[in-house]
């Protein structure tokens, strides 16, 4: 071969591609931005295209594999597939079931509004019958036996009213009729519930929230058996709704501290709920750890390490204008339509998480104009309580 020096143009393309002589392992994982891998051996490339190594990042990628290994371990799952957002994960679960016209799908009537609209849209397209039910209702398992659905999607703790369905009873009913049970366990995170151990087939996370924990990346995950994950993986390879390497890296970095953060979020939420429940300015406080919560007994059995990081309440005599005035009066907590941050995030539910539901759907779910949802942060819990109560007083002041 010629020893002729390469042109600077060629050198610019190829120099600095490999670290020579280093066997050091980075303590923080490297971020693999390359969409493509190349191999000295064609046999290795051939094997990589069969999934044995990383060759193209829509097929598989280093940082998403590392994140998936972490989430699968936390969920107690054989396998995990990551997605570009929590909604992409929910859509993937729906689409992987190969539902046929007239098949039935059950979902929460009182869950996240965007999930409701997504499933309405996907069901209408596939001519699938969609049955929204209050899954925390003790009669829900019976309804599943009657309906014989192909897919049941539940939320571990519903958004925004914090109802807690008995997943063990739902799983038993699903098993009897051959339905797949998929659980969106975003609110408790794997720290507060391991849905698969309670009988779910899929545990879904909007990893944008507690797993990431710092509001700097969108991500979604679906965990389950290798067999359940196989159709999701092949659809993802074709559909391309993959998570990018930097987002995967940020999400995994957040996950490293999930347990210490969640312990503090859970404790703060318990304190905030207890203190809010004493306020004469509030009509009702929703928190599964309160004895007054209708699902308190179930919550004790299906949640772990406490009762979650979320609290909701209704302001006495308030409507939307008072709710908005309350949000603007907050000094410590941030009025932001998300959850899972280190800082307390507060939301007017009817105009945010339930915005895309119809007024009738909101009424049937029990989501009223005076309902406020709080994602309890890591601040001193008394500072959070005082901030919320002062803002409530300001919101309802005439
Ligand atoms: N599931 C629940 C319970 C949520 O609250 C959200 C978002 O708020 C999602 C799913 C969607 O997640 P993402 O925003 O990552 O798409």
């Amino acid at each position: 071969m010629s020893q002729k020096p390469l042109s600077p143009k060629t050198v610019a393309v190829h120099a600095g591609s490999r670290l020579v002589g280093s066997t050091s392992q980075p303590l923080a994982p490297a971020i693999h931005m390359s969409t493509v891998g190349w191999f000295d051996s064609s046999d290795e490339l051939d094997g990589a295209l069969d999934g044995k190594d990383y060759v193209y990042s829509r097929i598989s990628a280093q940082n998403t594999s590392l994140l998936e290994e972490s989430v699968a371990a936390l969920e107690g799952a054989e396998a995990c597939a990551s997605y570009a957002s929590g909604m992409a994960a929910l859509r993937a679960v729906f689409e992987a079931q190969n539902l046929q016209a007239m098949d039935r799908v059950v979902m929460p009537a009182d869950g996240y509004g965007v999930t409701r609209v997504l499933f309405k849209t996907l069901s209408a397209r596939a001519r699938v019958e969609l049955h929204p039910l209050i899954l925390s209702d003790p009669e829900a398992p019976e309804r599943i036996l009657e309906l014989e659905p192909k897919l049941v999607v539940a939320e571990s703790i519903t958004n925004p009213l914090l109802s807690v369905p008995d997943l063990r009873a739902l799983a038993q009913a699903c098993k009897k009729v051959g339905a797949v049970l998929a659980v969106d366990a975003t609110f408790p995170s794997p720290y507060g519930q391991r849905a698969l151990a309670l009988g779910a087939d899929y545990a879904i996370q909007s990893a944008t929230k507690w797993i990431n924990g710092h509001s700097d990346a969108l991500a979604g995950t679906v965990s389950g058996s290798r067999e359940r994950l196989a159709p999701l993986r092949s659809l993802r390879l074709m559909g391309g709704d993959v998570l990018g390497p930097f987002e995967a890296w940020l999400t995994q970095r957040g996950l490293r501290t999930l347990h210490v953060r969640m312990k503090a979020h859970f404790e703060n939420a318990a304190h905030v709920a207890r203190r809010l429940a004493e306020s004469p300015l509030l009509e009702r406080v929703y928190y599964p750890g309160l004895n007054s919560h209708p699902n308190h007994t179930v919550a004790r059995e299906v949640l772990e390490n406490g009762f979650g990081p979320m609290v909701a309440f209704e302001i006495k005599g308030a409507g939307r204008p008072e709710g908005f005035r309350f949000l603007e009066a907050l000094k410590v907590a941030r009025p932001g339509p998300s959850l899972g941050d280190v800082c307390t995030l507060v939301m007017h539910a009817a105009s945010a998480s339930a915005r895309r539901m119809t007024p009738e759907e909101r009424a049937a779910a029990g989501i009223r104009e005076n309902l406020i949802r709080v994602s309890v942060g890591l601040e001193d819990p008394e500072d959070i309580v005082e901030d919320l109560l002062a803002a409530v007083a300001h919101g309802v002041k005439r």
Side-chain angles (χ1 to χ4, degrees), residues 85-87 90 112 155 159 184 186-187 206 208-209 218-219 339:
S85 68
M87 293 318 299
L90 281 154
Y112 181 41
E155 287 178 16
N159 180 2
D184 178 341
T186 299
F187 272 27
S206 163
T208 313
K209 315 297 190 199
L218 281 174
L339 59 134

Side-chain angles (χ1 to χ4, degrees), residues 105-122:
V105 170
V106 167
M107 70 172 303
D110 52 346
Y112 181 41
V114 180
T115 307
R116 179 75 172 265
V117 179
L118 172 72
F119 281 15
K120 258 206 290 198
T121 309
L122 296 177

